[in-house]
Amino acid sequence: MTAAASLSRDALLAQMRQIVGASHVLTDEQSTRRFRKGHRTGEGNVLAVVRPGSLLEQWRVLQAAVAADRIVIMQAANTGLTGGSTPDGEDYDREIVLISTLRITGVQLINDGQQVVCLPGATLDRLEQALAPLNREPHSVIGSSCIGASVLGGICNNSGGALVRRGPAYTELALYAQVKDDGSLELVNHLGIELGNSPEEILTRLQNGDYTPQQVRNEEHAKASDARYGEHVRDVDADTPARFNADPSRLFEASGSAGKLCLFAVRLDTFPKEPSTVFYIGSNDPHDLTEVRRHLLAKLPRLPIAGEYIHRTAFDIGEKYGKDTFLVIDKFGTARVPAAFAMKSRVDGFFERFGLRGVTDKVIQALMNLLPSHLPARMREYRDRYEHHLLVRVSNDTLEQTRAFLTEYFTGSASGAFFECDADEGRKAFLHRFAIAGAAIRYREAHRSSVEDILALDIALRRNDRDWVETLPQEMEEQIIHKLYYGHFFCHVFHQDYIVRKGIDPIEMEHRMWKLLDARRAEYPAEHNVGHLYVAKPALAGFYRKLDPTNTFNPGIGHTSKKKHWGGCC
């Protein structure tokens, strides 16, 4: 053990408490549960969960943990779906300090609101609210924002989102700390804002917004979003996917870093809101949706805003088991959802102490079963008529071209049809699509006796792939209760949730799924990052190792080594 590692637990905890206050250093099993346990998967022990209240406190906590030779896991909202911001198992070679950044909120508008600087605890929902008076919006709107996802988490994970024109969350402008080869800690200011020289000055001035417009540099080469994606996704004949996590062209410092750096701020572009219209398309022939996708991407003068796919089974499971999510957002807005999730986690943690799992899910679902359907009548009618559903949102400057194409294409069609949504139908259609994303988890908790687990994949198909409907071997079909297919259809990114029968090994099934996807030349994961579920491909693993040569931050991500200096890896 090194001299640094010899610092006792008690001494390190005392140091942390002195920095952030005793009430913000959590060590007992109950209070740390919602930080140690992933939203969908992943769980492990930690020495402590530390909750700094300022950027300077975050820096000092990080200094203490690194000096004491502990692992550091950075976490914001803990809404990830692959366990990438929690411990995973108990086979680490050092104790873990988990730094939760949610207390460090802050959104600073710069360049007349055309850009923002977001601090570690800034959520997509808060960013959306800050931009609303300017009639602008962030990279992602409805989706992860509804469960309180953080802005910085999206950047770390190259998160995709539903908006076709914007591509993965991406920036080349960030303020971060890095542990170098020799174990020293360095603060790197690539934010493009002049804030001073020492870490203390830089972090304090940034926290306080103590800089002038003249100190904000606007250099052409430093991008705050992925401006290339629009033309990239239009190339519908390309033999490669539009976007996926291991794409080396979108790995840059903070972007795609997956917790291998300690982020303090990112600088991002914002986007003007536009009047838009939603078309709801149903078909029993997947070819119809393929032709709609190819035409609207290649022929419209401007790209569609969004194109979301829902299979009938996903529609049904989402309608029944995502109803509470839909209703909370519909009635109260997205601002209430993070608090609801936190309360649910606390209640579940209390009952789990007595061996009772999924109590809140069962109670909520019993109440939801008493309520009538919450979906518009025309959506439910299309559910009965059609297997495949596509929601298309276009800006109103391309409304007439879209309407004309769909009218011509579906006139006389025996396989499909469309209708133009009113404002309420359009809003509810996209809200239903979002609610589907968590429905499989609720189904699992409500049917524990018959469900082994959920196998959740997010995959990117080639842009020219016309055979996008999956066909599984019969033996695998028999091991699955339900298959939920939904996703970002214009980007050819699909979420595939498999509800696996009791007694079937979901890990073994996942590995078989990977072989099938490899045969289709798909890339995976597409937008949720590898977490602890997927294997990081060589380019991605090399990127992680370059960012974090000592393997101090988030070891084991992407099935890489959990040992110091990447022992036994690669």
Side-chain angles (χ1 to χ4, degrees), residues 176-319:
Y176 60 87
Q178 184 174 32
V179 177
K180 301 172 72 175
D181 284 321
D182 60 3
S184 62
L185 186 64
E186 179 183 28
L187 185 69
V188 179
N189 181 10
H190 287 172
L191 206 56
I193 303 176
E194 298 169 10
L195 295 165
N197 297 309
S198 71
E200 290 75 16
E201 182 185 10
I202 292 169
L203 296 170
T204 301
R205 287 183 59 187
L206 179 61
Q207 180 96 49
N208 297 332
D210 181 17
Y211 54 89
T212 66
Q214 291 71 34
Q215 291 170 312
V216 177
R217 300 194 303 274
N218 295 296
E219 298 167 342
E220 182 64 28
H221 68 276
K223 305 300 183 183
S225 63
D226 185 1
R228 304 162 295 168
Y229 188 73
E231 288 306 311
H232 191 67
V233 76
R234 276 193 185 276
D235 189 357
V236 294
D237 291 315
D239 198 35
T240 56
R243 56 180 168 92
F244 57 98
N245 280 122
D247 183 352
S249 70
R250 295 186 176 94
L251 300 175
F252 186 90
E253 296 181 354
S255 296
S257 60
K260 302 302 288 183
L261 298 171
C262 175
L263 298 193
F264 290 88
V266 296
R267 177 174 162 186
L268 303 169
D269 289 332
T270 68
F271 305 88
K273 284 185 179 179
E274 297 186 62
S276 63
T277 300
V278 173
F279 292 91
Y280 198 104
I281 301 166
S283 179
N284 290 313
D285 184 354
H287 173 77
D288 287 339
L289 272 57
T290 297
E291 292 306 306
V292 169
R293 171 182 173 269
R294 291 177 63 86
H295 179 90
L296 295 185
L297 285 179
K299 303 298 185 182
L300 280 188
R302 295 184 67 208
L303 281 169
I305 294 172
E308 292 294 291
Y309 170 73
I310 306 173
H311 184 267
R312 178 187 278 154
T313 303
F315 186 109
D316 292 345
I317 298 294
E319 182 179 17

Side-chain angles (χ1 to χ4, degrees), residues 17 26 28 42 44 48 71 73 86 134 155 163 188 193 198 214 250 256 297 322 336 339 351 369 438 479 521 547:
R17 292 183 181 111
L26 312 178
D28 66 275
I71 286 169
I73 295 179
T86 61
L134 303 177
I155 293 296
L163 300 177
V188 179
I193 303 176
S198 71
Q214 291 71 34
R250 295 186 176 94
L297 285 179
R336 301 290 182 89
F351 281 107
N369 290 342
Q479 296 174 343
R521 294 168 57 201
L547 293 180

Side-chain angles (χ1 to χ4, degrees), residues 5-216:
S6 66
L7 186 67
S8 71
R9 295 182 179 185
D10 289 344
L12 179 58
L13 292 173
Q15 204 173 344
M16 303 285 191
R17 292 183 181 111
Q18 188 173 16
I19 296 169
V20 302
S23 63
H24 297 299
V25 178
L26 312 178
T27 56
D28 66 275
E29 187 173 338
Q30 180 66 16
S31 64
T32 60
R33 177 190 179 276
R34 67 189 181 98
F35 303 93
R36 295 184 293 103
K37 185 177 176 65
H39 176 64
R40 179 181 276 179
T41 186
E43 186 174 5
N45 290 327
V46 297
L47 170 62
V49 173
V50 186
R51 303 176 64 237
S54 69
L55 295 177
L56 189 54
E57 285 185 2
Q58 180 177 318
W59 169 253
R60 288 173 174 163
V61 167
L62 180 62
Q63 282 183 307
V66 170
D69 199 25
R70 264 53 172 203
I71 286 169
V72 175
I73 295 179
M74 301 301 304
Q75 184 187 97
N78 191 19
T79 58
L81 301 180
T82 58
S85 60
T86 61
D88 186 71
E90 308 301 333
D91 55 339
Y92 295 89
D93 63 347
R94 293 150 288 165
E95 292 177 318
I96 297 170
V97 174
L98 192 154
I99 302 177
S100 170
T101 63
L102 277 185
R103 293 179 62 217
I104 314 175
T105 60
V107 172
Q108 300 171 5
L109 305 181
I110 61 174
N111 292 333
D112 299 319
Q114 295 183 53
Q115 290 188 326
V116 291
V117 174
C118 293
L119 303 190
T123 62
L124 285 167
D125 179 67
R126 291 183 182 179
L127 175 55
E128 195 171 348
Q129 293 176 38
L131 293 173
L134 303 177
N135 204 35
R136 299 184 72 85
E137 58 188 16
H139 166 272
S140 298
V141 286
I142 190 164
S144 298
S145 58
C146 298
I147 53 175
S150 71
V151 177
L152 273 66
I155 293 296
C156 288
N157 293 328
N158 280 143
S159 296
L163 300 177
V164 180
R165 300 171 181 174
R166 300 178 193 173
Y170 180 82
T171 188
E172 297 169 2
L173 299 164
L175 175 64
Y176 60 87
Q178 184 174 32
V179 177
K180 301 172 72 175
D181 284 321
D182 60 3
S184 62
L185 186 64
E186 179 183 28
L187 185 69
V188 179
N189 181 10
H190 287 172
L191 206 56
I193 303 176
E194 298 169 10
L195 295 165
N197 297 309
S198 71
E200 290 75 16
E201 182 185 10
I202 292 169
L203 296 170
T204 301
R205 287 183 59 187
L206 179 61
Q207 180 96 49
N208 297 332
D210 181 17
Y211 54 89
T212 66
Q214 291 71 34
Q215 291 170 312
V216 177

Side-chain angles (χ1 to χ4, degrees), residues 246 530 534-542 544 557-560:
V530 289
Y534 298 93
V535 175
K537 293 186 176 181
L540 187 59
Y544 293 158
I557 197 81
H559 290 248
T560 58

